[in-house]
């Protein structure tokens, strides 16, 4: 029985898993939810009530995107999404830390805005956006330092590109007004190259309609 992946249409974290499953040709059933609504099934599988959640055929749920990707890499090592060289492997995970950290800051900003007129904390939002800017600068620097600006490590797609591509795709769809493409043209070119891959073009994020009051 194929795996089930609990996902959400905008989720950059879930997109990393969707891209990786596609790149490894692992069949799965996509269960799309709004994790913020009371109808979500995430609490059934994840004590932290978050998606993505991967439910393998043994029914033991796997959650937290970076761990899901470690789990998939361990169970389905070919084609590898991590380089052989140990320092390159560690660098790929560091890129994922920064990419996920940008997503975390953006999600905090999104919900700060949901607090309503006059209730948003400006210093809190400014702090989060500083993390976004710093993270994007790190990604741009790593693209400059890469072999040819197509992949962050070597000549093929790795976890680093899956994580970086997912957060850049999230920015493009959920923060269209942000000037990252003009500020970092090399990052835009890098992202466009990744986004042309089937595993990326078939998993592009889209907004969701949150019914419940969250903050
Ligand atoms: N660190 C987690 C973050 C996952 C996360 O925040 N998921 C959101 C949905 S989304 O932001 O990815 O679209 C969620 O389920 N939030 C529900 C909640 O936090 O209660 C991971 O990498 O898996």
């Amino acid at each position: 029985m194929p795996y089930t992946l609990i996902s959400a249409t905008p989720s950059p974290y879930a997109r990393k898993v969707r891209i990786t499953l596609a790149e490894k040709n692992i069949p799965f059933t996509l269960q799309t939810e709004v994790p913020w609504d009371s109808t979500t099934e995430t609490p059934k599988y994840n004590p932290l009530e978050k998606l993505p959640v991967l439910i393998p055929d043994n029914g033991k749920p796997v959650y937290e995107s970076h761990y899901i990707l470690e789990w998939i890499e361990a169970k389905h090592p070919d084609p590898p999404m991590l380089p052989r060289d140990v320092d390159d492997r560690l660098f790929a995970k560091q890129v994922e830390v920064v990419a996920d950290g940008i997503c975390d800051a953006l999600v905090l900003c999104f919900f700060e805005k949901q607090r309503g007129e006059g209730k948003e904390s400006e210093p809190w939002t400014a702090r989060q956006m500083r993390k976004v800017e710093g993270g994007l600068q790190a990604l741009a620097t790593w693209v400059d330092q890469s072999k040819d600006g197509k992949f962050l490590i070597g000549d093929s797609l790795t976890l680093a590109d899956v994580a970086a591509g997912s957060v850049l795709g999230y920015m493009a769809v959920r923060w269209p007004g942000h000037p990252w493409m003009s500020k970092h043209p090399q990052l835009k070119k890098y992202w466009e190259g990744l986004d042309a891959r089937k595993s990326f073009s078939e998993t592009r994020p889209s907004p969701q309609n949150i019914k419940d009051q969250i903050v």
Side-chain angles (χ1 to χ4, degrees):
M1 189 175 82
Y3 296 160
T4 296
L5 177 68
I6 302 180
S7 175
T9 57
S11 176
Y13 310 100
R15 193 183 179 198
K16 292 188 299 179
V17 181
R18 294 169 67 190
I19 291 169
T20 301
L21 290 168
E23 290 285 340
K24 286 175 176 281
N25 296 308
I26 299 169
F28 67 101
T29 302
L30 187 67
Q31 181 175 316
T32 299
E33 298 195 353
V34 178
W36 307 102
D37 286 348
S38 57
T39 51
T40 183
E41 283 208 323
T42 55
K44 266 173 70 177
Y45 301 104
N46 177 359
L48 304 174
E49 301 188 9
K50 292 182 179 186
L51 55 81
V53 178
L54 186 71
I55 306 164
D57 27 20
N58 66 6
K60 293 183 182 158
V62 185
Y63 41 81
E64 189 62 33
S65 63
H66 68 84
Y67 174 61
I68 296 172
L69 294 180
E70 272 193 67
W71 189 95
I72 291 171
E73 197 67 22
K75 299 278 188 179
H76 305 269
D78 295 316
M81 295 302 286
L82 282 173
R84 287 194 187 294
D85 175 81
V86 66
D87 290 321
D88 283 346
R89 292 167 77 87
L90 290 170
F91 173 54
K93 290 177 185 277
Q94 181 184 4
V95 173
E96 185 179 30
V97 165
V98 170
D100 284 3
I102 297 170
C103 294
D104 296 344
L106 289 170
V107 169
L108 288 173
C109 284
F110 176 79
F111 283 108
E112 198 60 31
K113 286 192 187 347
Q114 306 298 308
R115 293 189 191 282
E117 202 55 39
K119 294 197 181 117
E120 175 182 348
S121 163
E122 296 297 334
W124 179 253
T125 299
R127 174 181 289 270
Q128 301 314 318
M129 287 315 290
R130 275 206 318 272
K131 298 173 194 291
V132 174
E133 299 311 326
L136 289 169
Q137 182 57 65
L139 295 181
T141 301
W142 287 329
V143 168
D144 289 340
Q145 293 170 347
S146 70
K147 187 172 173 193
D148 57 10
K150 275 182 69 182
F151 301 107
L152 290 182
I153 304 169
D155 300 316
S156 59
L157 189 85
T158 68
L159 167 69
D161 305 306
V162 171
S166 292
V167 66
L168 295 173
Y170 185 65
M171 292 281 301
V173 168
R174 302 290 278 166
W175 299 76
H178 189 284
W180 67 274
M181 292 186 192
S182 51
K183 189 175 175 192
H184 304 294
Q186 77 279 43
L187 202 53
K188 176 175 181 286
K189 187 162 175 279
Y190 163 73
W191 167 65
E192 286 170 338
L194 292 177
D195 210 48
R197 289 178 81 94
K198 192 166 179 288
S199 63
F200 280 75
S201 62
E202 289 184 348
T203 58
R204 285 197 187 111
S206 60
Q208 68 193 344
N209 175 26
I210 301 176
K211 294 186 187 65
D212 295 5
Q213 163 127 18
I214 304 299
V215 291

